[in-house]
């Protein structure tokens, strides 16, 4: 099968499988990996490039080696001499020009789309996407069908995703296919969907270049997978909250007003989950006057049959929100900037919207009464967080199955990364405050009294919770039944939040 890329004003054309293989071989031969490019650039130029500045990178890539040529061509978006390009990409300059990936003049070659090395802990990939706009302050206006490269939101979702082996996954709104590439590490069959044909063409090319297989389908939201079930759905949908009527950048604007696209994803995803299946969604949601954000999302989850762990990571005030997205569209300083800004704010006013929340929505299909947990957590967390999402699910299952009697009979363990911090006056016998702090995962803190500190200190999987509480009651001269009753609720919270772990 030939790969159709096209777009950007050129006719759709084919990159033959042989050329894909030759491209991969050339990238390997040049050492064009994430570490290879980072090593060539050095830390200063690498950091500068992450700020969209190319000058230090151009200074670091003057040796005309194939790695320097490819780095100048793609990440730095500089023209390279035709002979250098031919040396770095033997036999490929013409096919890549025909495919719309490169363009050439008599003596020079430049990139029309990006081909960029990308890596996580274990794997290296190459990702084809549209060129990063706005290098060196050149302005970041892009076409409506711009295919975004790897953004901080892409990485957030990739790090949140539970990486346990499963049979079937959906990457909804795949863009250049970055989530699908990660899924290929632990999922058997991957369906990748998008409404943007150029994105789908790039995703197909990325699958071929990285020697993985995706079932790539065109269509909106869950339409392309009607009636199908998945073990895992991941999506970073086009969630920008706007009136939904202006010009549309398809990578960020759904064309639907407000947070309607997120409501649709959240309400429809559960119907596509296998028992125990998960949906992990990056989202914006509106804060309306008189409606706590938690109520809004809990309303979307009614009857879903899913446990939900929703984490609000940030709340943007409306002015900063509008500025962020007008700048993202390259409109800051444009002639209609103030008018657009004002219109957007007026629409927020008319809708009673006070702020916009950003965060993570983790759903997991269950056949028992679903457990909902919606929280604000703007603090730093350990990344990647996927293992903690999976662990939280296991703890939720344990808590749902254990009544208080069963909980008191359970042999719990304190998570190994929990540390105790005490604060008090110098020389004082007892601390004024005790804080239990996680070093990993969500990095939560829990203010503890002496009973909770003693209990968490004693949970090593040997004694039952009831035995530990009874021992503490006898040390403190308290009535055992009353101590059990007073603390069993707090222990549930400590388990849910991961300070304590259920028996293995
Ligand atoms: C923010 S980008 C995410 C791209 C990629 N998945 C990532 O994580 O970086 C959102 C993607 O959703 C696609 N999209 C927009 N509207 C859509 C819709 N109604 N149904 C499915 N995908 C849509 C866009 O074309 C874009 O590729």
């Amino acid at each position: 099968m030939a790969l159709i890329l096209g777009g950007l004003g050129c006719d759709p054309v084919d990159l033959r499988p042989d050329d894909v293989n030759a491209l991969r071989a050339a990238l390997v031969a040049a050492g064009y990996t994430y570490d290879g490019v980072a090593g060539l650039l050095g830390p200063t130029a690498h950091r500068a490039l992450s700020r969209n500045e190319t000058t230090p990178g151009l200074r670091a890539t003057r040796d005309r080696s194939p790695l320097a040529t490819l780095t100048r061509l793609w990440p730095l978006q500089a023209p390279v001499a035709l002979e250098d390009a031919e040396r770095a990409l033997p036999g490929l300059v013409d096919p890549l020009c025909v495919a719309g990936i490169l363009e050439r003049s008599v003596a020079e070659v430049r990139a029309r789309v990006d081909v960029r090395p990308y890596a996580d802990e274990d794997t290296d990939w190459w990702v084809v996407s549209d060129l990063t706009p706005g290098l060196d302050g050149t302005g970041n206006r892009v076409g409506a069908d711009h295919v975004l490269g790897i953004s901080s939101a892409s990485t957030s979702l990739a790090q949140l995703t539970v990486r346990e082996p499963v049979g079937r996954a959906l990457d909804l709104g795949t863009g250049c296919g970055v989530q699908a590439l990660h899924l290929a590490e632990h999922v058997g069959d991957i369906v990748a969907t998008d409404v943007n044909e150029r994105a789908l063409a790039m995703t197909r090319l990325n699958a071929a270049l990285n020697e993985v297989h995706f079932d790539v389908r065109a269509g909106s939201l869950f339409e392309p997978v009607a009636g199908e079930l998945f073990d895992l759905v991941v999506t970073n949908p086009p969630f920008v909250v706007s009136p939904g009527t202006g010009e549309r950048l398809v990578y960020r604007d759904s064309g639907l007003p407000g947070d309607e696209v997120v409501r649709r994803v959240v309400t429809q995803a559960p119907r596509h989950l296998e028992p125990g299946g998960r949906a992990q969604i990056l989202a914006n949601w509106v804060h309306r006057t008189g409606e706590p954000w938690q109520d809004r999302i809990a309303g979307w989850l009614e009857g879903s049959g899913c446990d939900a762990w929703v984490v609000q990571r940030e709340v943007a005030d409306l002015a900063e929100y509008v500025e962020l997205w007008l700048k993202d569209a390259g409109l800051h300083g444009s002639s209609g900037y103030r008018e657009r800004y004002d219109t957007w704010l007026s629409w927020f006013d008319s809708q009673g919207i006070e702020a916009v929340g950003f965060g993570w929505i983790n759903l997991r299909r269950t056949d028992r009464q679903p457990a909902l947990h919606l929280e604000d957590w703007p603090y730093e967390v350990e990344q990647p967080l996927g293992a903690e999402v999976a662990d939280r699910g296991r703890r939720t299952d344990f808590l749902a199955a254990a009544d208080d009697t069963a909980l008191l009979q359970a042999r719990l363990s304190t998570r190994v990364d929990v540390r105790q911090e005490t604060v008090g006056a110098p020389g004082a016998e007892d601390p004024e405050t005790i804080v239990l702090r996680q070093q990993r995962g969500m990095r939560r803190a829990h203010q503890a009294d002496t009973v909770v500190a003693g209990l968490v200190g004693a949970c090593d999987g040997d004694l039952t919770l009831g035995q530990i509480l009874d021992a503490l009651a006898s040390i403190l001269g308290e009535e055992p039944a009353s101590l059990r009753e007073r603390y069993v609720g707090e222990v549930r919270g400590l388990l849910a939040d991961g300070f304590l772990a259920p028996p293995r």
Side-chain angles (χ1 to χ4, degrees):
M1 188 190 67
L3 293 151
I4 299 172
L5 190 56
L8 295 163
C10 63
D11 293 331
V13 285
D14 297 347
L15 189 62
R16 294 180 308 117
D18 284 355
D19 292 329
V20 176
N21 292 337
L23 175 58
R24 186 187 319 110
L27 301 179
V28 170
Y32 189 61
T33 59
Y34 182 87
D35 286 345
V37 171
L40 175 70
L41 291 176
T44 302
H46 197 233
R47 280 196 301 272
L49 186 57
S50 71
R51 299 189 302 273
N52 282 355
E53 295 293 336
T54 67
T55 309
L58 292 171
R59 292 167 60 83
T61 53
R62 288 170 172 158
D63 69 10
R64 302 183 68 182
S65 65
L67 179 58
T69 299
L70 298 179
T71 305
R72 287 175 90 92
L73 192 56
W74 282 312
L76 296 167
Q77 295 179 33
V80 300
L82 177 59
E83 60 173 301
D84 292 348
E86 281 175 339
R87 210 171 41 248
L89 297 164
L92 281 164
V93 171
D94 285 338
L96 291 176
C97 287
V98 174
I101 293 171
L102 301 178
E103 65 185 1
R104 59 176 280 190
S105 60
V106 178
E108 281 187 339
V109 174
R110 63 166 62 236
R112 295 192 71 186
V113 299
D114 197 11
V115 179
R116 185 173 291 244
Y118 170 61
D120 75 359
E121 275 169 23
D122 311 315
T123 317
D124 272 276
W125 296 283
W126 299 281
V127 175
V128 176
S129 69
D130 273 325
L131 293 170
T132 306
L135 292 192
D136 303 315
T138 48
N140 45 348
R141 296 298 293 268
V142 294
D145 61 357
H146 180 80
V147 179
L148 202 63
I150 294 151
S151 65
S152 55
S154 326
T155 326
S156 277
L157 178 60
Q159 294 189 313
L160 184 69
T161 302
V162 174
R163 301 284 170 209
E164 292 182 346
V166 290
R168 206 154 184 260
L170 169 65
D171 173 12
L172 189 156
T174 191
C176 62
V178 52
Q179 306 302 333
L181 285 173
H182 279 279
L183 291 172
E185 297 283 281
H186 60 109
V187 178
D189 298 322
I190 298 156
V191 180
T193 66
D194 210 291
V195 288
N196 182 352
E197 290 290 349
R198 296 188 66 245
L200 295 175
M202 288 184 182
T203 294
R204 278 189 214 102
L205 176 51
N206 283 327
L209 193 55
N210 292 289
E211 298 184 278
V212 292
H213 178 262
F214 308 144
D215 177 351
V216 177
R217 303 185 195 172
S220 182
L221 299 182
F222 291 94
E223 279 165 18
V225 295
E228 295 181 44
L229 298 182
F230 298 88
D231 301 297
L232 178 60
V233 173
V234 293
T235 183
N236 166 16
F239 52 60
V240 173
V241 174
S242 75
T245 49
E247 313 103 321
R248 182 175 170 201
L249 293 174
V250 72
Y251 71 83
R252 51 170 251 191
D253 303 312
S254 65
L256 296 167
D259 52 16
E260 174 61 13
V261 71
V262 176
R263 189 194 69 79
R264 290 191 191 180
V265 170
V266 171
T267 54
Q268 292 173 25
R271 290 177 227 152
H272 294 275
L273 296 181
E274 293 280 6
R278 296 174 190 283
Q280 300 195 265
I281 303 158
L282 223 58
N284 271 182
W285 44 80
V286 303
H287 288 210
R288 273 185 206 275
T289 315
E291 180 190 43
W293 71 267
Q294 293 92 335
D295 290 2
R296 181 172 189 79
I297 296 186
W300 298 343
L301 294 168
E302 262 167 40
S304 70
C306 286
D307 285 344
W309 179 27
V310 183
V311 184
Q312 180 165 272
R313 296 286 292 154
E314 280 170 41
V315 181
D317 73 42
L318 299 180
E320 64 184 341
Y321 191 80
V322 171
E323 285 159 28
L324 170 74
W325 292 113
L326 286 176
K327 281 179 185 157
D328 172 79
L331 293 166
H332 193 215
S334 70
S335 56
Y337 179 69
R338 279 195 188 152
E339 200 182 346
R340 287 171 201 267
Y341 196 149
D342 188 53
T343 306
W344 205 332
L345 288 181
S346 300
W347 177 80
F348 279 141
D349 278 351
S350 71
Q351 300 297 305
I353 295 172
E354 291 177 331
V356 180
F358 163 81
W360 309 323
I361 301 178
N362 296 288
L363 307 180
R364 190 172 57 117
R365 185 147 199 89
T366 177
D367 49 15
R368 55 162 165 69
Q369 179 67 28
L372 302 193
H373 185 70
L374 299 97
E375 64 176 321
D376 273 293
W377 193 257
Y379 312 108
E380 212 184 302
V381 301
E382 184 197 28
Q383 294 287 11
L385 198 68
E388 169 58 12
V389 178
D391 273 352
R392 187 172 183 102
R394 286 186 273 274
R395 301 193 302 264
T396 303
D397 287 343
F398 171 77
L399 283 167
D403 61 14
D404 286 353
T405 310
L407 187 56
L408 286 160
Q409 284 165 2
R411 291 178 162 77
L412 307 175
S413 310
T414 298
R415 220 169 68 181
V416 288
D417 61 296
V418 173
R419 289 288 170 273
Q420 175 178 301
E421 297 169 356
T422 53
V423 176
E429 205 169 302
D430 295 319
E432 280 161 26
T433 53
I434 306 174
V435 173
L436 303 174
R437 196 177 293 281
Q438 300 171 347
Q439 309 300 304
R440 311 202 56 183
M442 293 290 277
R443 299 199 166 122
R444 294 180 191 275
H446 183 95
Q447 187 152 354
D449 62 14
T450 38
V451 173
V452 169
L455 179 159
V456 170
C459 280
D460 60 0
D462 192 12
L463 299 174
T464 67
L465 175 63
Q467 287 168 329
I468 294 171
L469 281 170
D470 291 352
L472 285 166
S474 119
I475 294 167
L476 299 168
E478 296 233 19
E479 174 57 39
S482 129
L483 208 70
R484 284 175 174 227
E485 199 184 315
R486 267 180 23 231
Y487 282 95
V488 76
E490 192 164 346
V491 169
R492 282 189 180 275
L494 288 164
L495 258 163
D497 283 346
F499 290 89
L500 297 174
R504 289 221 161 251

